[in-house]
Each structure stands twice: as structure tokens, then as C-alpha cells.
């Protein structure tokens, strides 16, 4: 019919189960209208705004930059702001829970403290070799060190890899893919002075050598990083440092 | 696992890889040639080379397997501390003992 605005075809509601409560909580069921280009975060937001304002969850940027919106969606850890419902819903059903391997505070909000504490334990903090009064050190983007650092540097700290890693689930001391990936980018940062300390930190029990290389982290990382490769790099670097007598086994 | 255990595990793996290939070749040779037990013993008894070869094999396998079992017990069995060390070292020693007994049986004159 000429002049009629395009209308979305009517879709059945989605059957959504969302985790409510702390670790001892349970899934609660909701019906949410389907829309075109709807994200999983849109679903959670709809439930909070239209059905139950008491629902707790985190988000900020909504464009895949801040790393705060990760949840477990139909059994897999994902960034929800950039996960389309059409890609993950199974038979019109969605199950949304908090990230695995982290303590649940309430509903979809987990306590990220252990994740960032391990980031610190892996010495994932830049130790500068210069002060603000020194000239800026020129770094060639094509140098092998910079290429290696660049490959892992775009981490958004979302914790998806941490939730996807079986070794984190099995070994409470394991630093996890994100912290180790961060350590590897700093090992390759020629301006950093914390090298030996960092290699020592990632060589202790629960460090890079605990990784089983099953690549679940790489499979799930929404920023398409490859923490497994970074961890393999750390394994090589620690062995080389040991051979040179720089660190003790 | 820490760096020390990693070095032992990878080191023994690197040693075991060629040893296993030679071991398999020896098995194929012995069965293909139809060697009897007496034939085999006549070659291995008093042989320092075979004693060293299988002695190293047993030592590497015992260390390698003990570290692997230690990981399994820690990650899947939830063991830690002394219990974990006791189980892993005990298993390694038992393997070494059984293996070395078998080596002794074929190489001692
Ligand atoms: S490759 Fe290593 S860090 Fe990644 S999921 Fe497997 S064990 Fe975890
Ligand atoms: S490595 Fe990837 S999955 Fe892990 S925290 Fe960083 S961006 Fe998220
Ligand atoms: S809300 Fe920022 S990454 Fe999803």
C-alpha cells in the first residue's frame, strides 16, 4: 500500500530468565517484547525499567568500550551491550546470569575485586622509567616488542575471559587470562622498568605456567584478543629469564 | 604449577619424546624379528647402554607423571599443601621403584 510506513512484523515475546539474589538466589522468569536489533543489555534494561526496578546490573558505555556489562548469556560469558538477541536466543528463550568465577553481589552484578586484585598481583601496572620532565621516548610502531604489546593492549577489563576459563574455576590462585595478558603487554613495553619483578610474579604458583592452553579465553574475548598467545609468550620469557639467571625457578 | 615444576615437566617431556620413539622402535624390532625372551635377555643383561636408556626413561616418566598427577589432584581433587605434595611425591617414587625394578630384572647379569 503506497504511503504506509514500514511496520515491524509482530513477534512473540521473549521468555527471559534472569538471576535474582546473591549466590543463593534463583532464576526468575519474565516476558519481554522482541524488537529489531535488540541487544541483551536492552532486555535487562527493559526488565528493570518496565517490570522490576529492583533489578541490579552494570553498564556504562553501551558501545563495547567500558567492559562493565558482561554477563552469562545462555551459558556463555558475553558483553551484553554488543550481543544481539537474535544471535543468542534459543527458541525465543534467554537465560541471563552473573559472570561465573566471581562472587555474586546481587542479581547480575558480580564483585570484580578478585579480578583486579589478580591484575595487581600479576604486576599489571606500568612502572615508568622516565619522569614528566624527560622528553617523550620515540617508539617505533613496527618494532617487534611494540607489535607484541599492541596485540594485547586493547583489553577492556570486561572479565569475560576470566569467567570462561576453567583453570580459574579449578585453581583459586590462578591469576587468569586478562591479568596475564596485561603482564605480557608490559613485558613488551620498552619504557617499563618492572620486567624482572613481573616475570617473578607470573612464575609463582598460579602464574602463567598454570594455564592449560585450552583457549577458552581467546574464544570468548569480545575484543578478539588472544590471551592464550600472551600467556605462551610469558612462559617463553620466564624460561629465557631463568636461563639467563635473571629469575630463580 | 610454578616455573620450577614447569621446567621439570617440559624438560622431562623433551627427554621422553625421543626415548619413547626408540622404545617403540625396539618393540617393533623385537616382535618383527620374533625374538624370544631368552634372545632379549641375552642382549640386555649386563648392558650398561640399556640400563642407562631405560633408567633415564623410568626417571623421566616418574617425574613427568607425578607432576601431571599433582595438577589433577590440585585442580580436580581440591588437594593442597602437604597432602598434595605427599600424594605426588609418593606416586612418583612408586613409579620409579616399579620401573627401576623392571629395568633391573632385564639388565642385571
Ligand atoms: S588458555 Fe589458559 S587462560 Fe585461556 S582459558 Fe585456557 S587455561 Fe584459561
Ligand atoms: S582479554 Fe578480552 S575477555 Fe579478557 S578482560 Fe580483556 S577484553 Fe575482556
Ligand atoms: S556497556 Fe560498556 S562494554 Fe558494554
Amino acid at each position: 500500500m503506497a504511503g504506509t510506513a514500514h511496520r515491524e512484523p509482530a513477534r512473540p515475546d521473549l521468555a527471559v530468565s534472569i538471576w535474582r539474589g546473591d549466590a543463593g538466589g534463583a532464576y526468575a522468569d519474565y516476558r519481554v517484547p522482541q524488537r529489531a536489533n535488540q541487544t541483551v543489555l536492552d532486555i535487562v534494561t527493559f526488565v528493570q525499567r518496565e517490570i522490576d526496578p529492583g533489578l541490579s546490573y552494570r553498564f556504562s558505555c553501551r558501545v563495547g568500550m567500558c567492559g562493565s556489562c558482561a554477563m552469562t548469556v545462555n551459558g556463555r560469558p558475553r558483553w551484553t551491550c554488543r550481543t544481539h538477541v537474535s544471535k543468542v536466543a534459543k527458541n525465543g528463550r534467554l537465560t541471563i546470569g552473573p559472570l561465573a568465577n566471581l562472587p555474586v553481589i546481587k542479581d547480575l552484578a558480580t564483585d570484580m575485586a578478585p579480578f583486579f586484585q589478580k591484575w595487581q598481583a600479576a604486576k599489571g601496572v606500568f612502572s615508568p622509567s622516565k619522569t614528566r620532565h624527560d622528553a617523550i621516548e620515540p617508539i617505533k610502531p613496527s618494532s617487534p616488542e611494540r607489535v607484541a604489546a599492541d596485540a594485547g593492549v586493547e583489553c577492556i577489563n570486561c572479565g569475560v575471559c576470566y569467567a570462561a576459563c576453567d583453570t580459574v574455576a579449578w585453581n583459586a590462585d590462578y591469576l587468569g587470562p586478562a591479568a596475564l595478558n596485561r603482564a605480557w603487554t608490559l613485558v613488551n613495553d620498552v619504557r617499563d622498568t618492572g620486567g624482572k619483578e613481573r616475570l617473578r610474579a607470573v612464575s609463582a604458583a598460579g602464574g602463567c605456567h598454570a594455564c592449560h592452553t585450552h583457549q577458552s579465553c581467546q574464544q570468548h574475548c569480545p575484543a578478539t584478543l588472544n590471551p592464550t598467545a600472551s600467556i605462551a609468550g610469558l612462559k617463553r620469557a620466564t624460561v629465557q629469564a631463568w636461563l639467563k639467571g635473571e629469575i630463580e625457578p | 604449577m610454578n616455573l620450577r615444576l614447569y621446567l621439570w615437566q617440559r624438560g622431562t617431556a623433551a627427554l621422553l619424546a625421543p626415548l619413547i620413539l626408540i622404545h617403540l622402535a625396539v618393540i617393533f624390532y623385537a616382535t618383527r624379528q620374533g625374538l624370544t625372551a631368552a634372545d632379549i635377555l641375552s642382549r640386555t643383561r649386563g648392558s650398561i647402554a640399556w640400563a642407562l636408556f631405560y633408567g633415564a626413561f623410568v626417571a623421566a616418566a616418574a617425574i613427568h607423571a607425578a607432576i601431571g598427577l599433582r595438577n589433577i589432584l590440585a585442580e580436580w581433587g581440591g588437594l593442597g599443601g602437604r597432602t598434595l605434595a605427599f600424594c605426588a611425591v609418593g606416586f612418583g617414587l612408586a613409579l620409579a621403584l616399579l620401573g627401576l625394578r623392571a629395568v633391573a630384572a632385564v639388565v642385571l647379569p
Side-chain angles (χ1 to χ4, degrees):
Chain A
M1 270 183 283
T4 311
H6 171 74
R7 285 239 187 104
E8 274 187 43
R11 302 162 197 252
D13 284 352
L14 281 164
V16 182
S17 300
I18 296 181
W19 186 262
R20 302 305 307 268
D22 56 13
Y27 281 97
D29 296 329
Y30 305 92
R31 298 206 76 81
V32 179
Q34 281 199 66
R35 307 249 186 271
N37 302 318
Q38 202 171 19
T39 65
V40 175
L41 186 63
D42 292 336
I43 300 280
V44 176
T45 302
F46 179 91
V47 171
Q48 198 214 41
R49 293 202 181 151
E50 309 292 333
I51 306 176
D52 183 352
L55 176 64
S56 303
Y57 66 109
R58 279 196 203 101
F59 76 97
S60 177
C61 69
R62 294 177 294 129
V63 290
M65 299 289 291
C66 72
S68 62
C69 66
M71 300 168 199
T72 308
V73 183
N74 280 358
R76 289 178 181 264
R78 296 185 183 276
W79 54 358
T80 53
C81 70
R82 296 202 52 189
T83 300
H84 278 250
V85 171
S86 56
K87 282 233 173 100
V88 290
K90 289 211 179 76
N91 305 322
R93 286 202 62 84
L94 267 187
T95 304
I96 308 172
L99 272 187
N101 295 342
L102 289 162
V104 183
I105 298 174
K106 178 175 174 284
D107 305 340
L108 301 171
T110 51
D111 181 1
M112 298 293 284
F115 177 77
F116 288 109
Q117 276 156 5
K118 288 178 176 181
W119 195 279
Q120 302 271 344
K123 303 263 181 261
V125 179
F126 181 61
S127 321
S129 50
K130 295 210 162 45
T131 70
R132 69 183 63 200
H133 306 296
D134 296 309
I136 291 177
E137 188 170 339
I139 305 286
K140 244 184 144 188
S142 59
S143 68
E145 290 83 9
R146 196 58 230 169
V147 170
D150 281 345
V153 89
E154 299 287 352
C155 171
I156 58 170
N157 315 352
C158 63
V160 162
C161 56
Y162 191 83
C165 174
D166 283 337
T167 308
V168 171
W170 297 330
N171 179 353
D173 294 333
Y174 183 44
L175 297 173
L180 292 168
N181 175 72
R182 172 67 180 158
W184 174 241
T185 62
L186 289 171
V187 164
N188 285 289
D189 192 326
V190 293
R191 304 162 304 163
D192 181 274
T193 56
K196 251 186 238 172
E197 280 299 296
R198 189 169 296 113
L199 290 180
R200 255 184 222 126
V202 300
S203 292
C208 61
H209 306 100
C211 167
H212 284 270
T213 318
H214 33 42
Q215 294 183 299
S216 194
C217 50
Q218 179 204 1
Q219 178 76 33
H220 290 87
C221 173
T224 64
L225 302 187
N226 187 349
T228 316
S230 301
I231 294 167
L234 284 178
K235 288 178 183 172
R236 281 195 307 277
T238 50
V239 171
Q240 278 161 8
W242 170 71
L243 286 173
K244 287 190 209 147
E246 291 171 1
I247 60 171
E248 320 60 49
Chain B
M1 196 140 81
N2 57 20
L3 176 59
R4 186 179 329 130
L5 291 173
Y6 176 81
L7 288 168
W8 276 106
Q9 206 185 27
R10 295 299 156 107
T12 50
L15 186 63
L16 279 168
L19 296 187
I20 287 171
L21 288 179
I22 298 171
H23 176 59
L24 289 176
V26 169
I27 294 174
F28 272 116
Y29 174 79
T31 48
R32 281 296 176 106
Q33 301 292 315
L35 297 187
T36 63
D39 294 333
I40 293 172
L41 286 177
S42 73
R43 291 164 205 219
T44 56
R45 287 222 157 122
S47 161
I48 292 176
W50 283 123
L52 284 178
F53 177 84
Y54 277 112
F57 194 118
V58 166
I63 295 170
H64 188 81
I67 297 173
L69 183 78
R70 184 185 178 280
N71 280 345
I72 296 171
L73 291 177
E75 293 183 353
W76 288 7
L79 297 193
R82 281 208 189 157
T83 326
L84 179 62
F86 181 80
C87 290
V89 172
F91 179 72
L93 286 178
L95 270 190
L97 206 77
L98 289 171
L100 291 177
R101 204 172 135 254
V103 176
V106 291
V107 299
L108 287 187

